[in-house]
Amino acid sequence: MDRGALGEGKMLQGSLDSSGPRFTPLVVVELASDTKEEAIAWILSRIRDQQQNGGVHVGVDPLNSKISFDCVFYHSVLLILAFFPGAELLVEQLGPGVGAQEKENPNMFLVGATRQRLLSGAEEVGLFKECNDGSMRGFTCANKHNFKDFEGDGDSFLNMAECQYIIKHELDTLRAKDETHVPGHTQVKLYPGKSIIRRLQSKGILIQIFPLHGQEELKRLSFSWYKKVKLSFQPLDNIRHYYGEGQALYFGFLEYFTFALVPMALIGVPYYLFDWEDYDKYVIFAVFNLVWCTVILELWKRFSASLAYRWGTLSRKKAFEEPRPGFHGTLGFNPVTGRKEPLYPNAKRQLRVYLVSLPFVLLCLYLSLYIMMIYFQMEGWVLSFHDEEPTFWTGILMFIPSIIYAVVIEIMNLIYRYAAEFLTEWENHRLESSYQNHLVLKVLVFNFFNCFASLFYIAFVMQDMVLLRQSLATLLITSQILNQFMEAFLPYWLQRRRNKKMIRKVQKRRTVEEKELPLAEQVRLEADMSTYLGTFDDYLELFLLFGYVSLFSCTYPLAAVLVVLNNVTEVYSDAFKMCRVFKRPFSDPAANIGVWQLAFEAMSVIAIVTNCALIGMSPQVKAYFTESETQLILWTVAIEHMLLAFKFILTFLIPDVPKHIQIKLARLEFESLEALKKKKMLEASDLSKTME
């Protein structure tokens, strides 16, 4: 385990009395306060129970092409399914805090693991680490000394985030044996082979599981990340080390997107400063948009592949996906695993999607369209009022409808988000990936229509470029202000209110010399912090900003500048939230930004169509087609198709994975195949000797 993590644990242990934990606490498990004693005893025993001995583990060492034998076999999925062993983790109950009160939940438990258990867990989850030859390979206990930074007993080999991820994995793979229900809770049924943790979560017995912050490491990360304002790159490797690859990839994409906007911002500033109101001047800017939105996404795929390879997630195989905790149905046998689990007819799910969810989404889109028309009526009323008696105040009044509409858009997006989550949950998707895909699709479609429908209407129906510029500027600025308030200021203010009471209580008992909170208080403080819900909303915000810039920024060139400024503040506000406002999330071993890559690419295709249409509508281009408007439309469509073809050709020509990484991956696969051949030859030789 990470020496920093061990040192952190020792420091925290020193703040407890002699009854404190005798290991480094990494994860907190909180059960409901009314959980029965027999249920608690059963849960703790399953966490502590030893794993089954799988006999002799025969594995392949691709580094030296020989068979390796490991007496303790943790990696066999078949044996885990057969015996349903315990997690073999260390767990102790958290003691009462300073000035303990009756309302404090006593059912909070600290979970840790021995060094050997963590190493075997790293092999079980398929953790990739850097070898002595510089390549990234799946870790195995038998070949542990072939890996870089593995010294002695491996104390400094795994970092704290990796240890916490391993513990979470071991808890998630705890399965029911022959129990029919949770002891003391007869209403909570159990099924053989089903995840215990997921069942407890869905029934409200398990309140939360969260990893503890490492205070010293968090201080170092905070100082290098957001406490010191500087013009430099983010410490992505440190972020990945502390929060995992999923979070690091988000901040890497945020940084990349910000730097990719700089050329557009530099081009847009002179356009705005010289106040070239002649729409013809923006044709060049629109052409630049066409190339920019395609190239940056292709280069990002290469950059993210380099990061994923460096962090060991590019070649990592996806684990078998278990049913979601909220999934329900009639009990039956899974033909893949052979275990009993709830089954739900796919036809019934599709009926819910197409007969309920789809009409609801269409109804919401109609409502959004209706509100948009009310906005245009307000714009018309204000404009007529200004034309009758133009003054400074009526000029200011002209921005009010757009501001109100921008606020209404954000409110509608928020309400629809809750409705989309409810509907997607009601659709009863079996897998988390399917649930996320359906949720993302619902949210993206509505947010795109809600945020951009008015701009499309102004551009292509009203064809009022002055109003388009004003509306784009107002919507963009207002949404950025609201997002900064909702994402940064409000969570910080709420968290400070929660923290003040705890800090005052602790200060009554702590001495002046103490600089850190006792472990019990630190755990309870973190337990009350807001739960980080993932990068969904962060990517959604970047998706909408990308749309504002790529679709219509040729009419408002300053949009890229505003997005750059927003992203710079976003980096600091998001970093602050991660370090001070939210609980520490579990590491997410992601290899890319997932479905959001497809979302951004779809937006870039729409951007090509939009910018071609805007170019075709320019007076300068129309001057070449004075006799026939049909010819103008045909030429615009033809050029748009050519640019789409160029985009897809560019996608083909620019490899997603850099050449040097492809070579390393191919070499690793070749060595593994060669090692497998030698293994089979040795087995055949041993078999022939036995027959003789």
Side-chain angles (χ1 to χ4, degrees):
M1 194 179 355
D2 177 14
R3 280 176 185 159
L6 285 173
E8 192 71 31
K10 291 174 182 175
M11 179 197 69
L12 291 172
Q13 291 171 30
S15 64
L16 291 175
D17 56 22
S18 59
S19 63
R22 295 177 295 275
F23 57 88
T24 302
L26 295 171
V27 173
V28 177
V29 175
E30 183 178 4
L31 303 177
S33 57
D34 58 350
T35 306
K36 303 296 184 182
E37 290 293 333
E38 52 265 45
I40 296 175
W42 173 74
I43 295 169
L44 296 184
S45 67
R46 291 305 310 274
I47 295 175
R48 291 176 177 137
D49 282 349
Q50 291 188 350
Q51 288 202 325
Q52 297 290 338
N53 190 330
V56 179
H57 171 40
V58 181
V60 178
D61 178 6
L63 293 176
N64 51 25
S65 302
K66 67 180 181 182
I67 299 176
S68 61
F69 296 88
D70 187 4
C71 294
V72 183
F73 179 30
Y74 290 104
H75 195 53
S76 173
V77 175
L78 293 177
L79 286 172
I80 289 176
L81 296 181
F83 295 106
F84 308 129
E88 200 173 337
L89 301 174
L90 306 175
V91 56
E92 290 192 12
Q93 188 169 10
L94 181 70
V98 177
Q101 300 177 6
E102 291 184 2
K103 63 180 180 180
E104 286 185 352
N105 186 0
N107 296 331
M108 299 186 71
F109 301 89
L110 304 175
V111 183
T114 62
R115 178 182 60 254
Q116 186 58 39
R117 181 68 189 90
L118 291 170
L119 292 175
S120 62
E123 179 177 354
E124 185 178 328
V125 300
L127 193 67
F128 270 61
K129 301 291 284 185
E130 186 177 0
C131 293
N132 292 326
D133 63 356
S135 62
M136 302 296 296
R137 301 174 189 266
F139 174 77
T140 59
C141 293
N143 307 316
K144 56 189 177 184
H145 293 291
N146 292 325
F147 288 85
K148 186 179 178 181
D149 298 328
F150 193 98
E151 301 173 356
D153 294 329
D155 283 344
S156 60
F157 186 64
L158 300 175
N159 62 52
M160 193 174 183
E162 290 170 339
C163 295
Q164 291 167 334
Y165 174 75
I166 292 168
I167 289 178
K168 179 65 163 57
H169 171 80
E170 299 301 337
L171 292 174
D172 285 341
T173 52
L174 279 176
R175 303 188 183 282
K177 294 187 286 187
D178 53 358
E179 304 96 339
T180 58
H181 62 273
V182 175
H185 298 267
T186 55
Q187 75 281 7
V188 182
K189 304 297 182 183
L190 292 175
Y191 307 103
K194 292 295 295 177
S195 171
I196 293 174
I197 295 298
R198 290 173 182 268
R199 190 66 175 167
L200 296 176
Q201 283 179 321
S202 63
K203 295 301 180 180
I205 296 177
L206 177 60
I207 296 177
Q208 60 178 340
I209 300 177
F210 63 91
L212 282 170
H213 276 293
Q215 296 304 312
E216 290 300 323
E217 188 178 358
L218 183 62
K219 286 180 182 178
R220 292 193 296 268
L221 176 62
S222 301
F223 182 77
S224 63
W225 195 4
Y226 73 89
K227 285 189 175 180
K228 186 170 59 175
V229 179
K230 58 187 187 308
L231 294 175
S232 65
F233 295 104
Q234 295 179 91
L236 293 181
D237 288 324
N238 294 339
I239 297 170
R240 176 254 171 182
H241 188 274
Y242 192 82
Y243 288 109
E245 292 79 13
Q247 279 300 122
L249 279 173
Y250 161 69
F251 282 101
F253 181 73
L254 175 59
E255 179 178 273
Y256 175 86
F257 181 40
T258 305
F259 279 102
L261 283 166
V262 171
M264 185 176 286
L266 293 177
I267 295 174
V269 168
Y271 271 89
Y272 186 81
L273 292 179
F274 290 115
D275 197 22
W276 289 349
E277 292 293 341
D278 185 359
Y279 178 65
D280 306 339
K281 308 296 183 185
Y282 296 136
V283 172
I284 300 174
F285 202 83
V287 173
F288 179 79
N289 259 353
L290 296 174
V291 180
W292 174 84
C293 64
T294 298
V295 172
I296 66 162
L297 292 178
E298 292 305 313
L299 294 181
W300 160 251
K301 285 192 285 190
R302 292 174 60 84
F303 180 61
S304 67
S306 300
L307 290 177
Y309 178 78
R310 191 169 82 209
W311 295 336
T313 57
L314 187 61
S315 303
R316 192 168 180 175
K317 294 181 179 179
K318 191 175 182 180
F320 181 77
E321 197 169 359
E322 293 289 338
R324 297 175 53 249
F327 176 68
H328 58 85
T330 57
L331 190 64
F333 281 95
N334 186 316
V336 177
T337 63
R339 301 197 306 262
K340 281 186 177 182
E341 68 174 43
L343 300 178
Y344 191 79
N346 185 59
K348 191 174 180 180
R349 182 183 301 111
Q350 295 302 320
L351 286 175
R352 290 188 174 191
V353 170
Y354 291 107
L355 297 183
V356 179
S357 296
L358 182 59
F360 176 79
V361 173
L362 294 176
L363 178 64
C364 290
L365 295 181
Y366 173 78
L367 179 63
S368 175
L369 184 65
Y370 183 78
I371 293 177
M372 182 188 76
M373 300 312 296
I374 294 176
Y375 155 66
F376 285 127
Q377 289 180 353
M378 293 173 59
E379 282 282 3
W381 177 79
V382 170
L383 185 61
S384 61
F385 184 75
H386 176 72
D387 290 341
E388 290 177 3
E389 191 178 346
T391 63
F392 171 79
W393 296 109
T394 57
I396 297 295
L397 186 64
M398 291 180 65
F399 290 94
I400 299 301
S402 295
I403 294 175
I404 294 175
Y405 183 54
V407 173
V408 171
I409 284 177
E410 295 298 324
I411 295 173
M412 289 179 63
N413 286 343
L414 186 62
I415 295 174
Y416 177 81
R417 170 68 182 276
Y418 288 115
E421 289 178 349
F422 174 81
L423 273 179
T424 311
E425 184 71 34
W426 178 72
E427 290 167 3
N428 197 27
H429 295 278
R430 178 178 177 272
L431 302 179
E432 183 65 28
S433 58
S434 176
Y435 172 86
Q436 289 295 332
N437 289 340
H438 281 78
L439 178 61
V440 168
L441 181 61
K442 289 186 185 72
V443 173
L444 283 186
V445 168
F446 180 80
N447 277 260
F448 179 85
F449 189 87
N450 198 32
C451 293
F452 300 117
S454 62
L455 300 179
F456 277 99
Y457 186 85
I458 295 171
F460 302 116
V461 178
M462 299 175 64
Q463 298 188 13
D464 187 341
M465 296 305 150
V466 175
L467 181 58
L468 179 62
R469 169 191 277 198
Q470 175 189 317
S471 298
L472 176 60
T474 307
L475 289 174
L476 181 59
I477 295 172
T478 306
S479 65
Q480 288 180 348
I481 293 174
L482 290 175
N483 283 329
Q484 290 295 330
F485 175 79
M486 295 295 293
E487 293 186 5
F489 175 76
L490 188 59
Y492 172 68
W493 180 73
L494 292 175
Q495 185 59 35
R496 283 199 58 150
R497 289 191 62 188
R498 283 195 293 264
N499 289 356
K500 279 183 179 180
K501 187 174 182 180
M502 175 67 73
I503 293 172
R504 282 198 300 266
K505 182 177 71 173
V506 172
Q507 285 178 342
K508 292 178 181 178
R509 297 282 299 274
R510 63 188 287 192
T511 62
V512 179
E513 291 80 10
E514 289 178 351
K515 296 182 180 179
E516 300 292 338
L517 287 176
L519 176 60
E521 303 304 334
Q522 185 63 41
V523 170
R524 297 186 186 280
L525 183 63
E526 292 186 27
D528 290 336
M529 294 172 75
S530 301
T531 300
Y532 182 67
L533 300 177
T535 55
F536 185 97
D537 290 321
D538 298 317
Y539 279 121
L540 179 61
E541 181 183 353
L542 293 182
F543 172 79
L544 296 177
L545 291 176
F546 180 73
Y548 282 124
V549 171
S550 61
L551 294 176
F552 300 106
S553 63
C554 61
T555 61
Y556 183 60
L558 206 59
V561 179
L562 295 176
V563 175
V564 168
L565 295 176
N566 174 82
N567 287 0
V568 171
T569 59
E570 187 80 12
V571 168
Y572 287 96
S573 63
D574 284 352
F576 174 80
K577 287 189 300 181
M578 293 300 300
C579 295
R580 296 287 301 277
V581 176
F582 293 124
K583 293 185 185 75
R584 183 178 187 172
F586 282 101
S587 173
D588 175 24
N592 49 56
I593 62 175
V595 68
W596 292 103
Q597 181 74 38
L598 296 176
F600 279 91
E601 289 179 357
M603 180 69 83
S604 70
V605 172
I606 298 173
I608 289 176
V609 177
T610 303
N611 282 277
C612 283
L614 289 173
I615 292 172
M617 290 168 54
S618 67
Q620 185 178 12
V621 174
K622 284 183 177 180
Y624 292 97
F625 300 92
T626 54
E627 298 180 358
S628 174
E629 188 175 346
T630 305
Q631 277 191 330
L632 171 61
I633 296 173
L634 291 176
W635 271 103
T636 303
V637 173
I639 293 173
E640 172 255 322
H641 278 63
M642 290 174 59
L643 288 170
L644 286 176
F646 169 74
K647 171 183 172 57
F648 293 119
I649 292 172
L650 197 64
T651 302
F652 176 77
L653 293 177
I654 301 177
D656 294 348
V657 180
K659 187 69 174 178
H660 69 281
I661 294 180
Q662 292 182 25
I663 294 173
K664 290 179 180 178
L665 294 176
R667 185 186 301 131
L668 177 61
E669 184 178 359
F670 171 76
E671 291 175 354
S672 299
L673 291 174
E674 288 296 308
L676 186 59
K677 288 180 184 178
K678 290 191 176 184
K679 173 191 171 184
K680 290 182 177 179
M681 291 174 61
L682 286 172
E683 288 177 347
S685 176
D686 291 342
L687 182 61
S688 62
K689 289 180 181 179
T690 304
M691 294 178 65
E692 291 175 358

